[in-house]
Amino acid sequence: MRLVHLDLKGAAPRVSYLEQVFPLLSQLGANGVLIEYEDMFPFKGELEILKSPYAYSEEDIERIQQLAELHKLEVVPLVQTFGHVEFILKHEKYQRLREVERFPNSFNPHVPDTLVLLKSILAQVIEKHKRSTWIHIGADEVFHLGEGMDSKNWMSRNKGDTGTLYLKHIKEVLGFIATQYQGLRALMWDDMLRKISVGALRGERVGTAAVAPELGVLAAPVRATTLAGAMPSAWQEPVPGPVGTRVSGEHEEPQASSCHWHQYDHYSVLCELLPVGIPSLAICLQTLVNGGFTEATKRKVLDVLGFQSMQLEESTCEGRGVFPGAEIYHMVQQVNGHLKESILKVLQEESAIKGWFSPYHRKRQFGNPRNMESFGSKVLKLHEDWESFVRDLHAHLERVYFPDTVEEWMEENVNPYLDQLRDLVRDYR
């Protein structure tokens, strides 16, 4: 399976954009999508509190699956069942289920209501994915596990450690899935398992409820080996993330260069937008398909995406681009490459501004018109050009994303610089 991980906990795209992207994923070699809905799932009843105001509707969920089926992409829903549950534990209603009261990251596995809640969440998601033969239970990065008083007491009483504590909870989750949904196979991330001895894994026989029961241990996919680098990367960077391949010491098979996210967790700033990450994703997928990044691989990627050339070291692609969201790709490059630089150059290097229109002058609203006019037309033109550009970018982003994502991306990447220019123009006028 070559899965593209759609991480929807930040910058979830509209379904209309997925309609354009799914054929591209299939063309590039993906045969499945791992969908981490988080608060974008249309939870009902008592769970409705977990929904984002822009959550997909039930019709949207069905449409996504129809699109996937149409393009021969298997849908694997991902439900976090231990860590990365900030979208749940941030609510006062569920605060008592935290491993450590101060932090909303991870569940307390000793409170019976934790499993009750997880069963309810899993049931609602699985119910809406009846075509799926796999469910992913996340279970990575369970921060602060073993630090809560309940866990400390449990480990003391049972002479256990965080490994046995972890396996006990995972076994309960997998047991529920195996009992209630026979034939549904489970996947999970492997980072927590790496810290546990093979003996402990065999002793718990976790795999009897999961992927590889004959092994007696859980077959958990290594992130990069199994997944093409799917969602955009680059912490707070609006430029294309690194692309390339590497060889695993154990498996000698192509890997994606990194796992890509829209947000590292529910509280972090947005990372890269999906249209900006598509070239990186295309390279990762084609590398997985072909067993290496060859010239033929590179040519296929360029042809599919409509670029003339690419520079992996600089993470750049040259050419117009014909993939969904190519306009956003180019406009984000403009923001990253020129917005900050052009504005700061005017504000910090224009001698007439430094000498005759300083913060002191602006605060007291006085200045010599002769000197002000020497920089006025230049500043007004720069402001007009960027405002026009940003209006176009805003319109393109709104076709792909919901208003909250557009607002956040602008606040993080455009306004810190453009607002300085806006303030200068306001004071000048």
Side-chain angles (χ1 to χ4, degrees), residues 4 50 63 72 85 94 103 155 159 161 187 243 286 292 325 354 359 371 394 417:
V4 171
L50 303 179
R63 178 68 182 140
K72 297 181 172 54
V85 285
Y94 298 117
F103 306 128
M155 288 188 293
K159 296 184 173 57
D161 56 15
L187 289 165
V243 292
Q286 274 296 294
K354 292 172 76 174
N371 301 90
H394 204 280
Y417 310 110

Side-chain angles (χ1 to χ4, degrees), residues 171-391:
K171 200 172 174 183
E172 287 176 335
V173 171
L174 293 172
F176 166 72
I177 293 168
T179 305
Q180 295 297 120
Y181 305 98
Q182 291 182 5
L184 187 62
R185 292 172 291 178
L187 289 165
M188 62 186 287
W189 299 127
D190 73 320
D191 60 308
M192 297 294 291
L193 295 174
R194 286 184 210 163
K195 304 168 190 173
I196 303 170
S197 70
V198 174
L201 286 167
R202 285 210 177 100
E204 288 293 328
R205 295 193 63 78
V206 178
T208 55
V211 180
E214 71 279 3
L215 299 179
V217 296
L218 183 70
V222 178
R223 281 181 202 267
T225 303
T226 308
L227 294 177
M231 273 284 153
S233 67
W235 176 247
Q236 298 188 58
E237 287 290 333
V239 293
V243 292
T245 63
R246 63 170 179 245
V247 179
S248 157
E250 292 177 14
H251 303 292
E252 298 300 312
E253 62 181 285
Q255 297 184 331
S257 63
S258 61
C259 220
H260 300 299
W261 311 104
H262 257 165
Q263 276 184 312
Y264 284 97
D265 71 32
H266 190 73
Y267 286 92
S268 76
V269 296
L270 295 177
C271 302
E272 211 172 67
L273 298 175
L274 176 53
V276 183
I278 280 179
S280 173
L281 167 59
I283 290 168
C284 292
L285 276 172
Q286 274 296 294
T287 300
L288 286 169
V289 170
N290 295 310
F293 188 65
T294 62
E295 272 304 310
T297 307
K298 184 176 178 180
R299 178 46 50 197
K300 170 75 183 279
V301 171
L302 290 173
D303 289 346
V304 170
L305 299 184
F307 286 127
Q308 272 74 58
S309 63
M310 62 172 66
Q311 305 299 324
L312 263 62
E313 295 75 17
E314 285 82 39
S315 292
T316 57
C317 298
E318 289 79 39
R320 183 164 161 264
V322 293
F323 59 92
E327 305 89 351
I328 293 173
Y329 175 87
H330 288 299
M331 295 180 94
V332 166
Q333 281 189 321
Q334 285 283 94
V335 168
N336 185 65
H338 304 295
L339 176 68
K340 177 181 177 182
E341 180 189 348
S342 66
I343 291 173
L344 293 184
K345 189 173 183 183
V346 164
L347 295 179
Q348 295 173 4
E349 296 180 19
E350 193 71 36
S351 60
I353 292 178
K354 292 172 76 174
W356 280 269
F357 204 52
S358 71
Y360 181 86
H361 292 91
R362 291 167 62 183
K363 185 175 181 182
R364 285 157 184 78
Q365 297 188 332
F366 79 97
N368 187 328
R370 176 180 175 276
N371 301 90
M372 289 174 65
E373 284 173 8
S374 72
F375 66 80
S377 58
K378 183 178 179 180
V379 166
L380 293 175
K381 176 75 165 61
L382 183 69
H383 174 248
E384 184 185 323
D385 288 348
W386 276 119
E387 290 288 12
S388 173
F389 175 88
V390 166
R391 279 194 297 273

Side-chain angles (χ1 to χ4, degrees), residues 89 91-98 108 111 113:
L89 297 183
H91 295 286
E92 192 178 343
K93 179 179 180 180
Y94 298 117
Q95 199 166 337
R96 61 196 172 80
L97 303 183
R98 296 176 178 184
N108 178 344
V111 180
D113 282 352

